[in-house]
């Protein structure tokens, strides 16, 4: 009798990875779309933080150093959030390498935004802080596209399909 009860109870077999994976519909079925949405959320948080740091530091150290300091200070936060949220990498394996490579990505962003500030000051030597913030924000969109491409295809390529 006991053996019949054991046979009648369903066995708990682990589900296959495909069965446990959440099914997405529409454009969300493409991993790149989901990653872009998460990347945008991370970008908003990091951009607001960077702009606030820039506006705070600019009166004391000038526009270029303030831009560099703000980007460098937010770079570790950006890489950590993108690693965890955008590309769903939770293990500690290769974390140091990811952060070092993230600094290279931030250096590229610094060249883009710093270059735009240089052009602004060349065109308008008396640019206001508001002009500088608009310039770094607009050039930040280009830097963001470059950053996502570098993160997805270089640093976090092992998690491209998550």
């Amino acid at each position: 009798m006991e053996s019949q009860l054991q046979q009648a109870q369903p066995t708990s077999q682990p589900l296959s990875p495909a069965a446990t994976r959440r099914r997405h519909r529409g454009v969300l079925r493409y991993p790149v779309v989901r990653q872009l949405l998460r990347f945008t959320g991370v970008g908003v948080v990091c951009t607001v933080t960077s702009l606030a740091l820039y506006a705070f530091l600019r009166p004391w150290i000038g526009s270029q150093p303030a831009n560099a300091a703000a980007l460098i200070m937010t770079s570790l936060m950006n890489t950590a959030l993108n690693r965890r949220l955008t590309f769903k990498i939770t293990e500690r394996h290769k974390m140091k390498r990811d952060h070092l490579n993230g600094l290279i990505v931030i250096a590229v962003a610094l060249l883009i935004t710093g270059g735009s500030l240089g052009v602004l000051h060349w065109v308008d030597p008396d640019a206001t802080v508001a002009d500088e913030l608009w310039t770094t924000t607009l050039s930040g969109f280009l830097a963001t596209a470059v950053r996502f491409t570098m993160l997805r295809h270089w640093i976090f390529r092992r998690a491209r399909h998550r």
Side-chain angles (χ1 to χ4, degrees):
M1 179 82 167
E2 190 174 313
S3 64
Q4 290 175 346
L5 285 175
Q6 288 175 350
Q7 289 176 355
Q9 294 175 352
T11 59
S12 60
Q13 295 177 352
L15 296 173
S16 69
T20 59
R21 204 173 287 157
R22 187 173 174 203
R23 300 284 180 194
H24 297 283
R25 296 175 187 226
V27 297
L28 290 179
R29 72 176 174 254
Y30 302 107
V32 69
V33 173
R34 294 190 308 271
Q35 289 171 348
L36 278 169
L37 289 172
R38 294 187 302 253
F39 182 80
T40 300
V42 169
V44 167
V45 169
C46 291
T47 299
V48 168
T49 304
S50 183
L51 288 174
L53 286 169
Y54 176 85
F56 177 75
L57 295 172
R58 197 248 180 238
W60 287 284
I61 61 176
S63 62
Q64 291 287 5
N67 181 53
L71 281 174
I72 291 167
M73 284 189 225
T74 57
S75 69
L76 290 174
M77 176 178 74
N78 183 284
T79 302
L81 288 174
N82 276 311
R83 188 176 198 277
R84 173 91 176 172
L85 301 176
T86 303
F87 296 101
K88 304 289 186 177
I89 298 173
T90 56
E91 75 272 1
R92 299 177 74 71
H93 179 67
K94 298 182 181 180
M95 185 168 52
K96 289 179 186 176
R97 189 193 71 184
D98 290 344
H99 280 284
L100 288 173
N101 290 339
L103 289 174
I104 293 169
V105 172
I106 293 300
V108 171
L110 181 59
L111 288 172
I112 293 169
T113 58
S116 70
L117 280 173
V119 169
L120 172 68
H121 288 134
W122 178 65
V123 170
D124 183 7
D126 299 322
T128 65
V129 173
D131 294 334
E132 293 169 352
L133 286 171
W134 275 110
T135 300
T136 56
T137 301
L138 293 175
S139 63
F141 290 133
L142 173 63
T144 298
V146 170
R147 188 180 314 148
F148 179 77
T149 302
M150 290 178 76
L151 288 173
R152 187 167 200 272
H153 294 286
W154 174 43
I155 298 174
F156 301 127
R157 71 178 171 265
R158 65 190 182 275
R160 198 168 27 210
H161 302 291
R162 292 184 185 179

